[in-house]
Amino acid sequence: GHIFAECPDTTLLYDTDIRTQKILPPGWGGHKSKHLPYMGGTEYGNSANSMIFMHANCGITFDLDAIRAAMPGVRIQRFTAVGGLEDSSYQAVKAAVWILVDGVQEDMLHVTNTKENTEGIDYKNFSVEIDDRCRFLTLITTDGGDGTGGDWTFFGNPILELESY
């Protein structure tokens, strides 16, 4: 019954399913990135740095009660991740990444890349508190309304911090 009423209008288009690795054939669609994306100079989607890779206009919701039921004796304290647009996006794009708890925006970041500057693209370290009353954690990425595609966003090292009780 939760609705994210503040979600901006988008093109409703997306390019690939949500994944934990970005695996594309070399030269796919003119994309110049390596098989694993970078954010802030760090490579993600490997054993050292996990990720949830999402092309714009995708979202995923985690049922926190199901996680709690699967892990008795622990309390979820917060969600942390670095989020934004990958460093090697190959064209001018605008996008946004959002974190919702029970349908309410907790944090977000607008990201922009220009063809002239593909280095130092914006990203943000997220930390969202979660208490025992929170039921759903949702991660969303949206395009910036520019209709260009290439909105390769992800959440790097997504972690639910737990506490034993």
Side-chain angles (χ1 to χ4, degrees), residues 103-123:
V104 176
Q105 176 187 328
E106 293 294 326
D107 210 342
M108 64 89 57
L109 171 69
H110 286 286
V111 290
T112 302
N113 178 23
T114 65
K115 288 182 182 181
E116 294 78 30
N117 176 21
T118 58
E119 299 298 323
I121 297 168
D122 288 342
Y123 61 92

Side-chain angles (χ1 to χ4, degrees), residues 39 42-45 49-53 79-84 124-126 139 153-159:
M39 188 182 303
T42 300
E43 183 181 58
Y44 290 89
N49 294 295
S50 62
M51 72 172 182
I52 299 173
F53 181 80
F79 170 77
T80 62
V82 59
K124 182 175 182 176
N125 291 306
F126 292 104
L139 308 178
T153 60
F154 66 94
F155 291 90
N157 291 325
I159 296 172

Side-chain angles (χ1 to χ4, degrees), residues 11-25:
T11 63
L12 302 176
L13 302 174
Y14 76 100
D15 206 1
T16 187
D17 293 330
I18 297 169
R19 25 181 108 201
T20 58
Q21 289 186 326
K22 179 187 169 200
I23 301 173
L24 300 172

Side-chain angles (χ1 to χ4, degrees), residues 123-135:
Y123 61 92
K124 182 175 182 176
N125 291 306
F126 292 104
S127 180
V128 173
E129 299 294 320
I130 296 176
D131 66 36
D132 293 339
R133 296 169 293 171
C134 299
R135 176 70 197 278

